[in-house]
Amino acid sequence: NAGVMQNPRHLVRRRGQEARLRCSPMKGHSHVYWYRQLPEEGLKFMVYLQKENIIDESGMPKERFSAEFPKEGPSILRIQQVVRGDSAAYFCASSPQGRADYGYTFGSGTRLTVV
Amino acid sequence: AQKITQTQPGMFVQEKEAVTLDCTYDTSDPSYGLFWYKQPSSGEMIFLIYQGSYDQQNATEGRYSLNFQKARKSANLVISASQLGDSAMYFCAMRVLTGGGNKLTFGTGTQLKVEL
């Protein structure tokens, strides 16, 4: 019964490259969330997705960032033309449908370093 | 808008003692949930405990309990009988349940260090 799987754990990109972060939710979970944690800060909400639908992207930067959760396969957070300020830990979480009291299950995160 | 405030950037506690980590929140919505997470140095986020705004009793999970004072809008985490493995960053978070989507709003965290 695997938890939320994120890969890669660490990702190094040069400025201007693209970063792709993957997240496979827990089995039976249909809701996926992405959060970003800058150094010395708490987690900030980015986007909430269900299969083939973006439900809430109010925390996503307007440019360069996109997310998807296709019918088959993992959820992908894509950052185009990365800049140094994108260096952070990116966490994915999942929850079952309709469980408002559920504390999410978080993945171990992807640490993105832009050099 | 929702806001979570954790005013203690760092706390020290001796092994086997109890420690309280403070959390206050702000929301105008009557339906909300409060969460505590632990983030050890390895970086993963571990869910500890949940309290619903309509729950009559304070939540408890093993050595963790949540001191919920609704009128004061506080949701402090109490860890009893601290262990060295409790050394970590602790985050308080809130989810508004009506019209607030499903997102969690996090505080800035408290770094707890358990000493011998």
Side-chain angles (χ1 to χ4, degrees):
Chain A
N1 187 17
V4 177
M5 303 301 292
Q6 285 190 252
N7 66 80
R9 283 295 302 271
H10 300 276
L11 182 62
V12 179
R13 284 287 177 266
R14 295 186 184 281
R15 280 177 292 169
Q17 290 185 319
E18 178 179 286
R20 280 185 176 241
L21 288 62
R22 293 175 187 77
C23 168
S24 296
M26 274 188 75
K27 189 175 181 180
H29 286 191
S30 55
H31 297 217
V32 165
Y33 316 82
W34 286 93
Y35 286 79
R36 177 165 64 174
Q37 185 178 29
L38 294 169
E40 310 298 324
E41 293 187 14
L43 277 70
K44 296 282 195 300
F45 169 78
M46 298 182 76
V47 63
Y48 162 36
L49 310 107
Q50 294 177 24
K51 288 277 187 185
E52 300 185 283
N53 273 313
I54 297 175
I55 306 301
D56 180 355
E57 54 182 348
S58 58
M60 287 280 269
K62 295 285 184 259
E63 296 176 349
R64 303 188 297 107
F65 285 72
S66 62
E68 62 176 8
F69 188 16
K71 189 175 179 182
E72 302 290 339
S75 175
I76 306 285
L77 179 67
R78 183 180 176 210
I79 311 172
Q80 294 178 290
Q81 298 174 330
V82 295
V83 301
R84 289 241 169 93
D86 297 332
S87 294
Y90 292 83
F91 286 92
C92 170
S94 72
S95 69
Q97 186 173 4
R99 288 288 307 274
D101 63 338
Y102 191 80
Y104 297 172
T105 301
F106 277 89
S108 297
T110 293
R111 275 113 188 117
L112 172 66
T113 303
V114 179
V115 297
Chain B
Q2 296 79 45
K3 187 175 180 184
I4 293 283
T5 302
Q6 294 180 256
T7 56
Q8 306 155 312
M11 288 279 287
F12 289 89
V13 65
Q14 289 216 306
E15 197 181 19
K16 298 177 188 170
E17 298 289 312
V19 63
T20 298
L21 306 183
D22 294 341
C23 172
T24 58
Y25 59 92
D26 189 23
T27 181
S28 56
D29 200 290
S31 298
Y32 51 88
L34 296 156
F35 303 80
W36 277 91
Y37 285 86
K38 173 184 179 181
Q39 187 177 42
S41 57
S42 51
E44 69 269 32
M45 293 288 289
I46 303 167
F47 167 64
L48 296 178
I49 197 166
Y50 166 82
Q51 179 86 42
S53 58
Y54 295 118
D55 292 345
Q56 295 295 316
Q57 292 190 319
N58 287 345
T60 59
E61 288 286 347
R63 294 186 298 110
Y64 303 109
S65 60
L66 202 152
N67 184 3
F68 181 45
Q69 297 189 40
K70 197 169 181 176
R72 296 179 63 184
K73 293 192 173 180
S74 75
N76 298 340
L77 177 70
V78 181
I79 305 174
S80 62
S82 297
Q83 301 172 356
L84 293 177
D86 294 333
S87 294
M89 186 72 116
Y90 288 82
F91 291 99
C92 180
M94 174 172 63
R95 181 196 293 142
V96 169
L97 301 180
T98 51
N102 245 338
K103 59 190 173 200
L104 287 173
T105 300
F106 282 84
T108 51
T110 295
Q111 183 72 50
L112 177 67
K113 180 95 164 92
V114 180
E115 300 174 315
L116 288 168

